[in-house]
Amino acid sequence: MKIAILGTGMVGKTLGTKLVACGHEVRMGARDAANEAAAAWAASAGSRASTGTFADASAFGEVVFLCVLGEVATKVVEAAREGLAGKILVDLTNPLDFSEGMPPKLFTSGSDSLGKRVQAAAPEARVVKALNTVSCNVMIDPASVPGDHGLFVCGDDADAKARVLSLLREDFGWRVIHDLGPLAMARCTEGYLPLWVSLYGLMGTDRFNVAVQKGG
Amino acid sequence: MKIAILGTGMVGKTLGTKLVACGHEVRMGARDAANEAAAAWAASAGSRASTGTFADASAFGEVVFLCVLGEVATKVVEAAREGLAGKILVDLTNPLDFSEGMPPKLFTSGSDSLGKRVQAAAPEARVVKALNTVSCNVMIDPASVPGDHGLFVCGDDADAKARVLSLLREDFGWRVIHDLGPLAMARCTEGYLPLWVSLYGLMGTDRFNVAVQKGG
């Protein structure tokens, strides 16, 4: 499959490398086509890896992963918007504000969410919120954490959600995925992030996740 | 130990009954001393159960459990304030706003939290945020959910926190308790509640909780 990664940080590089290794063609998009981090990633990831602008990448990908800081998420989606029409846009972003230190605050409140803003920035994209509640090392290697820990996904387009679930299961190895329903539920998973950051400090590793356990 | 319960809803009654069964003297406080729900509870809970106003209850208890709806939490604490000086106040409340349906929104945002507001309403109380991330059935019977699921607690007074941890372990049977640090972390656990409510819908039972699982 042709996949786009928007963002050149650790999350984008980790996902991109894994997706190339799974046999996909992956184009990493950045603000500038000559982005050095993207070029270095593509050089190491092999012949199925390529780079371009955000717009180049979104035009290329059938599935597009949004892997940027929350504060720039809607701007990046606007830059990629034309290519996103009809595409599956997997939104990994979180509305985190680190301006007052740790743990971060959310810059959304009430019924607002970054997932909702991302959808508004590209109304013709089929947004699926996913992977925003674990570190990138866990995203691509869930078996590195023991037990029945799970992912939370939501989105308004049932077909897009089903295709993302398949990719998460088949390429990344996720076994437990909780479908929370419509994209409006993005605020529920984004709201967990300050707790995630606190737990990151307590656990001393980013290789952790929560398992939902249920009694009789 | 002498324990106060502020609130006459399901949470207060469930905790009160369990604490009486553990051998404590428990006084349930309500706005009116003649509250019928409190009287009915005391009649069924046995001779160590009693009732009174919020002020009566807080004057009685060495440890005080705040078990009211988030929207009235600070008003109840203000009513109980005199008796709370120097006392351990276990804050179970969440800043939930159900006015636009499910899942609820938070009525706090940014670095604000209901834990912080509760502390501000009774500056001389030693507030410990705890038990706000599970249903009351799980609070008093954690073994009814399988696995190493845990509680999250925070508070500024180390001695108060240690005494609450002992009570949670010895009387309620909690084995896994994550101490997130100062009371300012209350916003991290309160922020999880919209996700908790979503999961409640998915699980079809209130007997569930999350286990934090960690890789090597």
Coordinates of all heavy atoms in Angstrom, one line a residue, chain A residues 72-145:
Chain A
V72 N 0.9 22.2 16.0 CA 1.0 22.5 14.6 C 0.0 21.6 13.7 O 0.0 21.7 12.5 CB 2.4 22.4 14.0 CG1 3.3 23.4 14.7 CG2 3.0 21.0 14.1
A73 N -0.7 20.7 14.4 CA -1.5 19.7 13.6 C -2.4 20.3 12.6 O -2.4 19.8 11.4 CB -2.3 18.9 14.6
T74 N -3.2 21.3 12.9 CA -4.2 21.8 11.9 C -3.4 22.5 10.8 O -3.9 22.4 9.7 CB -5.2 22.7 12.6 OG1 -4.6 23.7 13.3 CG2 -6.1 21.9 13.5
K75 N -2.4 23.2 11.1 CA -1.6 23.8 10.0 C -1.0 22.8 9.0 O -1.0 23.0 7.8 CB -0.5 24.7 10.6 CG -1.0 26.0 11.1 CD 0.2 27.0 11.4 CE -0.5 28.3 11.9 NZ 0.5 29.1 12.6
V76 N -0.5 21.7 9.5 CA 0.0 20.7 8.7 C -1.1 20.1 7.8 O -0.9 19.8 6.6 CB 0.8 19.6 9.5 CG1 1.1 18.4 8.7 CG2 2.0 20.2 10.1
V77 N -2.2 19.8 8.4 CA -3.3 19.3 7.7 C -3.8 20.2 6.6 O -4.1 19.8 5.5 CB -4.5 18.9 8.6 CG1 -5.7 18.5 7.9 CG2 -4.1 17.7 9.5
E78 N -3.8 21.5 6.9 CA -4.2 22.5 5.9 C -3.2 22.5 4.7 O -3.6 22.5 3.5 CB -4.3 23.9 6.5 CG -5.6 24.1 7.3 CD -5.5 25.3 8.3 OE1 -4.5 26.1 8.2 OE2 -6.3 25.3 9.2
A79 N -1.9 22.3 5.0 CA -0.9 22.3 3.9 C -1.1 21.0 3.1 O -0.7 21.0 1.9 CB 0.5 22.3 4.6
A80 N -1.6 20.0 3.7 CA -1.7 18.7 3.0 C -3.1 18.5 2.4 O -3.4 17.4 1.8 CB -1.4 17.5 4.0
R81 N -4.0 19.4 2.6 CA -5.4 19.2 2.4 C -5.8 18.7 1.1 O -6.7 17.8 1.0 CB -6.2 20.6 2.7 CG -7.6 20.5 2.6 CD -8.3 21.7 2.9 NE -9.7 21.7 2.5 CZ -10.6 22.7 2.7 NH1 -10.2 23.7 3.4 NH2 -11.8 22.6 2.3
E82 N -5.3 19.3 0.0 CA -5.8 18.9 -1.3 C -5.6 17.4 -1.5 O -6.6 16.7 -2.0 CB -5.0 19.6 -2.4 CG -5.7 19.8 -3.7 CD -4.9 20.6 -4.7 OE1 -4.5 21.8 -4.3 OE2 -4.7 20.1 -5.8
G83 N -4.5 16.8 -1.1 CA -4.2 15.4 -1.3 C -5.0 14.5 -0.4 O -5.1 13.3 -0.6
L84 N -5.6 15.1 0.6 CA -6.3 14.3 1.6 C -7.8 13.9 1.3 O -8.4 13.1 1.9 CB -6.3 15.0 3.0 CG -4.9 15.1 3.7 CD1 -5.0 16.0 4.9 CD2 -4.5 13.7 4.1
A85 N -8.3 14.5 0.2 CA -9.7 14.3 -0.1 C -10.0 12.8 -0.3 O -9.3 12.2 -1.2 CB -10.1 15.1 -1.4
G86 N -10.9 12.3 0.4 CA -11.2 10.8 0.3 C -10.3 9.9 1.0 O -10.5 8.7 1.0
K87 N -9.1 10.4 1.4 CA -8.1 9.5 2.0 C -8.4 9.2 3.5 O -9.1 10.0 4.2 CB -6.7 10.2 1.9 CG -6.3 10.6 0.5 CD -5.8 9.5 -0.3 CE -5.3 9.9 -1.6 NZ -4.1 10.7 -1.6
I88 N -7.8 8.1 3.9 CA -7.9 7.8 5.4 C -6.7 8.6 6.1 O -5.6 8.5 5.7 CB -7.7 6.3 5.6 CG1 -8.8 5.5 4.9 CG2 -7.5 6.0 7.1 CD1 -8.7 4.0 4.9
L89 N -7.1 9.4 7.0 CA -6.2 10.2 7.8 C -6.1 9.7 9.2 O -7.1 9.9 10.0 CB -6.6 11.7 7.7 CG -5.7 12.7 8.5 CD1 -4.2 12.6 8.0 CD2 -6.2 14.1 8.4
V90 N -5.0 9.0 9.6 CA -4.9 8.5 10.9 C -4.3 9.6 11.8 O -3.2 10.1 11.6 CB -4.0 7.3 11.0 CG1 -4.0 6.7 12.4 CG2 -4.5 6.2 10.0
D91 N -5.1 10.1 12.8 CA -4.7 11.2 13.6 C -4.0 10.7 14.9 O -4.8 10.2 15.8 CB -5.9 12.1 13.8 CG -5.5 13.3 14.8 OD1 -4.3 13.6 15.0 OD2 -6.5 13.8 15.4
L92 N -2.7 10.9 15.0 CA -2.0 10.5 16.2 C -1.7 11.6 17.2 O -1.1 11.4 18.2 CB -0.6 9.9 15.8 CG -0.6 8.5 15.2 CD1 -0.9 8.6 13.7 CD2 0.8 7.9 15.4
T93 N -2.3 12.8 16.9 CA -1.8 14.0 17.6 C -2.6 14.2 19.0 O -3.7 13.6 19.2 CB -2.1 15.3 16.8 OG1 -3.5 15.5 16.6 CG2 -1.3 15.2 15.5
N94 N -2.0 14.9 19.8 CA -2.6 15.2 21.1 C -2.5 16.7 21.4 O -1.4 17.3 21.1 CB -1.9 14.4 22.3 CG -2.4 13.0 22.3 OD1 -3.6 12.7 22.4 ND2 -1.5 12.1 22.1
P95 N -3.5 17.3 22.0 CA -3.5 18.8 22.2 C -2.8 19.2 23.5 O -3.3 19.7 24.4 CB -5.0 19.1 22.4 CG -5.6 17.8 22.9 CD -4.8 16.7 22.4
L96 N -1.5 18.9 23.5 CA -0.6 19.1 24.7 C 0.0 20.5 24.7 O 0.6 20.9 23.7 CB 0.4 18.0 24.8 CG -0.2 16.6 24.9 CD1 0.9 15.6 25.0 CD2 -1.2 16.4 26.0
D97 N 0.0 21.1 25.8 CA 0.6 22.4 26.0 C 1.7 22.3 27.1 O 1.3 22.1 28.3 CB -0.5 23.4 26.4 CG 0.1 24.8 26.8 OD1 1.3 24.9 26.9 OD2 -0.8 25.6 27.2
F98 N 2.9 22.3 26.7 CA 4.0 22.1 27.7 C 4.5 23.5 28.3 O 5.5 23.5 29.0 CB 5.2 21.4 27.0 CG 4.9 20.0 26.7 CD1 4.3 19.6 25.4 CD2 5.1 18.9 27.5 CE1 4.1 18.3 25.1 CE2 4.9 17.6 27.2 CZ 4.3 17.3 26.0
S99 N 3.8 24.6 28.0 CA 4.3 25.9 28.4 C 4.5 26.1 29.9 O 5.3 26.9 30.3 CB 3.4 27.0 27.8 OG 2.1 26.9 28.4
E100 N 3.7 25.3 30.7 CA 3.9 25.5 32.1 C 4.5 24.2 32.7 O 4.2 23.9 33.9 CB 2.5 25.8 32.8 CG 2.0 27.1 32.4 CD 0.7 27.5 33.1 OE1 0.3 26.9 34.1 OE2 -0.1 28.3 32.5
G101 N 5.2 23.5 31.9 CA 6.0 22.3 32.5 C 5.2 21.1 32.4 O 4.2 20.9 31.7
M102 N 5.6 20.1 33.3 CA 5.1 18.8 33.2 C 4.1 18.5 34.4 O 4.4 19.1 35.5 CB 6.2 17.7 33.3 CG 7.2 17.8 32.2 SD 6.4 17.3 30.6 CE 6.7 15.5 30.7
P103 N 3.1 17.7 34.3 CA 2.7 17.1 33.0 C 2.0 18.2 32.2 O 1.5 19.2 32.7 CB 1.7 16.1 33.4 CG 1.2 16.5 34.8 CD 2.3 17.2 35.4
P104 N 2.0 18.0 30.9 CA 1.4 19.1 30.0 C -0.1 19.3 30.3 O -0.8 18.4 30.8 CB 1.6 18.5 28.6 CG 1.7 17.0 28.8 CD 2.4 16.9 30.1
K105 N -0.6 20.5 30.0 CA -2.0 20.7 30.0 C -2.6 20.4 28.6 O -1.9 20.3 27.6 CB -2.3 22.2 30.3 CG -1.7 22.8 31.5 CD -2.0 24.2 31.7 CE -1.3 25.1 30.6 NZ -1.6 26.5 30.7
L106 N -3.9 20.3 28.5 CA -4.6 20.2 27.2 C -4.9 21.7 26.8 O -5.3 22.5 27.6 CB -5.9 19.4 27.3 CG -5.8 18.0 27.7 CD1 -7.2 17.3 27.6 CD2 -4.7 17.2 27.0
F107 N -4.7 21.9 25.5 CA -5.1 23.2 25.0 C -6.5 23.2 24.4 O -7.0 24.2 23.9 CB -4.1 23.9 24.0 CG -3.8 23.1 22.7 CD1 -4.8 23.0 21.7 CD2 -2.6 22.5 22.5 CE1 -4.5 22.4 20.5 CE2 -2.3 21.8 21.3 CZ -3.3 21.8 20.3
T108 N -7.2 22.1 24.6 CA -8.7 22.0 24.3 C -9.4 21.9 25.6 O -8.8 21.6 26.6 CB -8.9 20.8 23.4 OG1 -8.3 19.6 24.1 CG2 -8.3 20.9 22.0
S109 N -10.7 22.1 25.5 CA -11.6 21.9 26.7 C -13.0 21.6 26.3 O -13.3 21.7 25.1 CB -11.5 23.2 27.6 OG -12.1 24.3 26.9
G110 N -13.8 21.3 27.3 CA -15.2 21.0 27.0 C -15.4 19.9 25.9 O -14.7 18.8 26.0
S111 N -16.2 20.1 24.9 CA -16.4 19.0 23.9 C -15.5 19.2 22.7 O -15.6 18.4 21.8 CB -17.9 19.1 23.5 OG -18.2 20.3 22.9
D112 N -14.6 20.1 22.8 CA -13.6 20.3 21.7 C -12.6 19.2 21.8 O -12.4 18.5 22.8 CB -12.9 21.6 21.9 CG -12.1 22.1 20.7 OD1 -12.2 21.5 19.6 OD2 -11.2 23.0 20.9
S113 N -11.9 18.9 20.7 CA -10.8 17.9 20.7 C -9.9 18.3 19.5 O -10.4 18.9 18.5 CB -11.3 16.5 20.5 OG -11.8 16.3 19.3
L114 N -8.7 17.8 19.5 CA -7.8 18.0 18.4 C -8.3 17.2 17.2 O -8.2 17.6 16.0 CB -6.4 17.7 18.7 CG -5.3 18.3 17.8 CD1 -5.5 19.7 17.4 CD2 -3.9 18.0 18.4
G115 N -8.8 16.0 17.5 CA -9.4 15.2 16.4 C -10.5 15.9 15.6 O -10.5 15.9 14.3
K116 N -11.3 16.6 16.3 CA -12.4 17.4 15.7 C -11.8 18.5 14.8 O -12.2 18.8 13.7 CB -13.2 18.0 16.8 CG -14.6 18.2 16.6 CD -15.2 18.5 18.0 CE -16.6 19.0 17.9 NZ -17.2 19.2 19.3
R117 N -10.7 19.2 15.4 CA -10.1 20.3 14.6 C -9.4 19.8 13.4 O -9.4 20.5 12.4 CB -9.1 21.0 15.5 CG -9.7 21.7 16.7 CD -8.7 22.6 17.4 NE -9.1 23.1 18.7 CZ -8.5 23.9 19.5 NH1 -7.3 24.3 19.1 NH2 -8.9 24.3 20.7
V118 N -8.8 18.6 13.5 CA -8.1 18.0 12.4 C -9.1 17.7 11.3 O -8.9 18.0 10.1 CB -7.3 16.7 12.8 CG1 -7.0 15.8 11.6 CG2 -6.0 17.1 13.5
Q119 N -10.2 17.1 11.7 CA -11.3 16.9 10.7 C -11.8 18.2 10.0 O -12.0 18.2 8.8 CB -12.4 16.1 11.4 CG -13.6 15.8 10.4 CD -13.3 14.8 9.4 OE1 -13.2 13.6 9.6 NE2 -13.0 15.2 8.2
A120 N -12.0 19.2 10.8 CA -12.4 20.5 10.3 C -11.4 21.1 9.3 O -11.8 21.8 8.4 CB -12.7 21.5 11.4
A121 N -10.1 20.8 9.5 CA -9.1 21.4 8.7 C -9.0 20.6 7.3 O -8.5 21.2 6.4 CB -7.7 21.3 9.4
A122 N -9.6 19.4 7.3 CA -9.6 18.7 6.0 C -10.9 17.9 6.0 O -11.0 16.7 6.2 CB -8.4 17.7 5.9
P123 N -12.0 18.6 5.6 CA -13.4 18.0 5.8 C -13.6 16.8 4.9 O -14.4 16.0 5.2 CB -14.3 19.2 5.3 CG -13.5 20.4 5.5 CD -12.1 20.1 5.3
E124 N -12.8 16.7 3.8 CA -13.0 15.6 2.9 C -12.1 14.4 3.3 O -12.2 13.3 2.6 CB -12.8 16.0 1.4 CG -13.8 17.0 1.0 CD -13.5 17.6 -0.4 OE1 -12.3 17.6 -0.8 OE2 -14.5 18.0 -1.1
A125 N -11.3 14.5 4.3 CA -10.5 13.4 4.7 C -11.4 12.5 5.6 O -12.4 12.9 6.2 CB -9.3 13.8 5.5
R126 N -11.0 11.2 5.7 CA -11.8 10.3 6.6 C -10.9 10.0 7.8 O -10.0 9.1 7.8 CB -12.1 9.0 5.8 CG -12.9 9.3 4.5 CD -12.6 8.3 3.4 NE -13.2 7.0 3.7 CZ -12.8 5.8 3.1 NH1 -11.8 5.8 2.2 NH2 -13.4 4.7 3.4
V127 N -11.1 10.8 8.8 CA -10.2 10.8 10.0 C -10.5 9.7 10.9 O -11.7 9.4 11.3 CB -10.3 12.2 10.7 CG1 -9.4 12.2 12.0 CG2 -9.9 13.3 9.8
V128 N -9.5 9.0 11.3 CA -9.5 8.0 12.4 C -8.5 8.3 13.4 O -7.3 8.5 13.2 CB -9.2 6.6 11.8 CG1 -9.2 5.5 12.9 CG2 -10.2 6.2 10.7
K129 N -9.0 8.6 14.6 CA -8.1 8.8 15.8 C -7.6 7.5 16.3 O -8.4 6.6 16.6 CB -8.9 9.6 16.9 CG -7.9 10.1 18.0 CD -7.6 11.5 17.7 CE -6.4 12.0 18.4 NZ -6.1 13.5 18.2
A130 N -6.3 7.4 16.3 CA -5.7 6.1 16.8 C -4.2 6.3 17.2 O -3.6 7.3 16.8 CB -5.8 5.1 15.7
L131 N -3.7 5.5 18.0 CA -2.3 5.4 18.3 C -1.8 6.6 19.2 O -0.6 6.6 19.5 CB -1.4 5.3 17.1 CG -1.5 4.0 16.2 CD1 -0.9 4.2 14.9 CD2 -0.9 2.8 17.0
N132 N -2.7 7.4 19.6 CA -2.3 8.6 20.4 C -2.1 8.4 21.9 O -1.8 9.3 22.6 CB -3.3 9.8 20.2 CG -4.7 9.5 20.7 OD1 -5.2 8.4 20.3 ND2 -5.3 10.4 21.4
T133 N -2.3 7.1 22.3 CA -2.3 6.8 23.7 C -1.1 6.0 24.1 O -1.0 5.5 25.3 CB -3.6 6.2 24.2 OG1 -3.8 5.0 23.5 CG2 -4.7 7.1 24.1
V134 N -0.2 5.7 23.2 CA 1.0 4.9 23.5 C 2.3 5.6 22.8 O 2.1 6.3 21.9 CB 0.9 3.5 23.0 CG1 -0.1 2.7 23.8 CG2 0.6 3.4 21.5
S135 N 3.4 5.3 23.3 CA 4.7 5.8 22.7 C 4.9 5.1 21.4 O 4.3 4.0 21.1 CB 5.9 5.5 23.6 OG 6.2 4.1 23.6
C136 N 5.7 5.7 20.5 CA 5.9 5.1 19.2 C 6.6 3.7 19.2 O 6.3 2.9 18.4 CB 6.7 6.0 18.3 SG 8.3 6.5 18.8
N137 N 7.4 3.4 20.3 CA 7.9 2.1 20.4 C 6.9 1.0 20.7 O 7.0 -0.1 20.2 CB 9.0 2.1 21.6 CG 10.2 2.9 21.2 OD1 10.7 2.8 20.1 ND2 10.7 3.7 22.1
V138 N 5.9 1.4 21.4 CA 4.7 0.5 21.7 C 3.8 0.4 20.4 O 3.3 -0.7 20.1 CB 4.0 0.9 22.9 CG1 2.8 0.0 23.2 CG2 4.9 0.9 24.2
M139 N 3.6 1.5 19.8 CA 2.8 1.5 18.6 C 3.1 0.4 17.6 O 2.2 -0.3 17.1 CB 2.9 2.8 17.8 CG 2.3 4.0 18.4 SD 2.7 5.5 17.3 CE 2.4 6.8 18.6
I140 N 4.4 0.3 17.3 CA 4.8 -0.7 16.3 C 5.3 -2.0 16.9 O 5.6 -3.0 16.1 CB 6.0 -0.1 15.4 CG1 7.2 0.1 16.3 CG2 5.6 1.1 14.7 CD1 8.5 0.0 15.6
D141 N 5.2 -2.2 18.2 CA 5.7 -3.4 18.8 C 4.9 -3.6 20.1 O 5.5 -3.7 21.2 CB 7.2 -3.3 19.1 CG 7.8 -4.6 19.6 OD1 7.1 -5.7 19.5 OD2 8.9 -4.6 20.2
P142 N 3.6 -3.8 20.0 CA 2.8 -4.0 21.2 C 3.2 -5.2 22.0 O 3.0 -5.2 23.2 CB 1.3 -4.1 20.6 CG 1.5 -4.4 19.2 CD 2.8 -3.8 18.7
A143 N 3.8 -6.2 21.4 CA 4.2 -7.4 22.1 C 5.3 -7.1 23.1 O 5.6 -7.9 24.0 CB 4.6 -8.5 21.2
S144 N 6.0 -5.9 23.0 CA 7.0 -5.5 23.9 C 6.5 -5.2 25.3 O 7.2 -5.0 26.3 CB 7.9 -4.4 23.4 OG 7.1 -3.2 23.3
V145 N 5.2 -5.0 25.4 CA 4.5 -4.8 26.7 C 3.7 -6.1 27.0 O 2.9 -6.5 26.1 CB 3.6 -3.6 26.7 CG1 2.8 -3.4 27.9 CG2 4.4 -2.3 26.4

